[in-house]
Every structure is written in structure tokens, then in C-alpha cells.
Amino acid sequence: MAKRPTLTLPATEPVVVETPNYSYIPTPISTSAQSPKTRDEIAHRDAIRSQLAEVEAGVVEFVTEKTAEGFSMDDIFALYQLELPIVFSYHLDGTKLRARYGFQIVERAD
């Protein structure tokens, strides 16, 4: 019986696909919910939590003012909307990184 001929494939170089470098930037909500390990991480998380608390206090104050003016909650939701920036802004204060999270309440354009 004759041996089967072996199939030889031409030599090819491996295909290398370059992948872009990704870096993970946590959202303010995920940062405020995580368990920090260093003092800097604790300070950063606490700064974000205080900024979110300021946003909450501003919304509560606005709703209180509008309710005192005679608007119902349904009217407030129908007439106004809360605009938050997509990301925090960060600035360097001396040697510390500070978070800033602004917001505004605007009339709906429906």
C-alpha cells in the first residue's frame, strides 16, 4: 500500500492586529460606591459624595420653591428638567485633586 502524500502549506506570517489602549475612568456613581484603599482614594470618594449631595440639595431646594409657588409635582416634572454634565470636572487645588459636578434646572423645550 502506498503512503498518502502529506499536504504542505506555504509558510505565512501570523496576522497581528493592533488593539487600541483603553483606560478605565470610573463614573462618579461607581466611584462613590467603591471601597477606597488609600487616603487619596478616600478623599476623592468623599469629594464626589459631597458634590452629589450638593446636587441633591439643589434639586430639593428648587422643588420646595416651586411647590411654594403653587406648582404640583406633576407640573414641575412637566415644565422643568435637570441637566447634569456627562462627566465630573476635576481641578488641582494645590496638591489635591478636587471634583466638581455642576448642574442646572431648565425649562423643557417641548
Side-chain angles (χ1 to χ4, degrees):
M1 212 178 218
K3 276 187 156 185
R4 285 188 170 168
T6 58
L7 182 61
T8 58
L9 297 175
T12 58
E13 292 186 29
V15 177
V16 178
V17 178
E18 289 190 31
T19 58
N21 292 330
Y22 292 105
S23 62
Y24 174 71
I25 300 174
T27 66
I29 302 303
S30 66
T31 301
S32 65
Q34 69 187 1
S35 298
K37 295 172 181 57
T38 65
R39 287 181 180 221
D40 288 340
E41 289 175 351
I42 292 170
H44 188 236
R45 183 208 53 196
D46 291 345
I48 289 174
R49 284 182 176 175
S50 70
Q51 291 290 320
L52 290 173
E54 287 180 24
V55 170
E56 182 180 358
V59 171
V60 168
E61 179 183 337
F62 177 80
V63 169
T64 304
E65 288 174 5
K66 291 300 175 187
T67 325
E69 291 176 14
F71 288 95
S72 69
M73 290 299 283
D74 291 332
D75 293 338
I76 294 170
F77 286 131
L79 296 173
Y80 299 96
Q81 65 187 22
L82 178 67
E83 288 186 352
L84 298 170
I86 294 174
V87 294
F88 270 98
S89 62
Y90 295 99
H91 68 279
L92 193 60
D93 181 17
T95 59
K96 298 191 181 218
L97 185 66
R98 304 279 185 196
R100 186 171 312 242
Y101 196 62
F103 74 99
Q104 62 183 15
I105 298 173
V106 296
E107 289 185 22
R108 290 189 185 269
D110 295 334

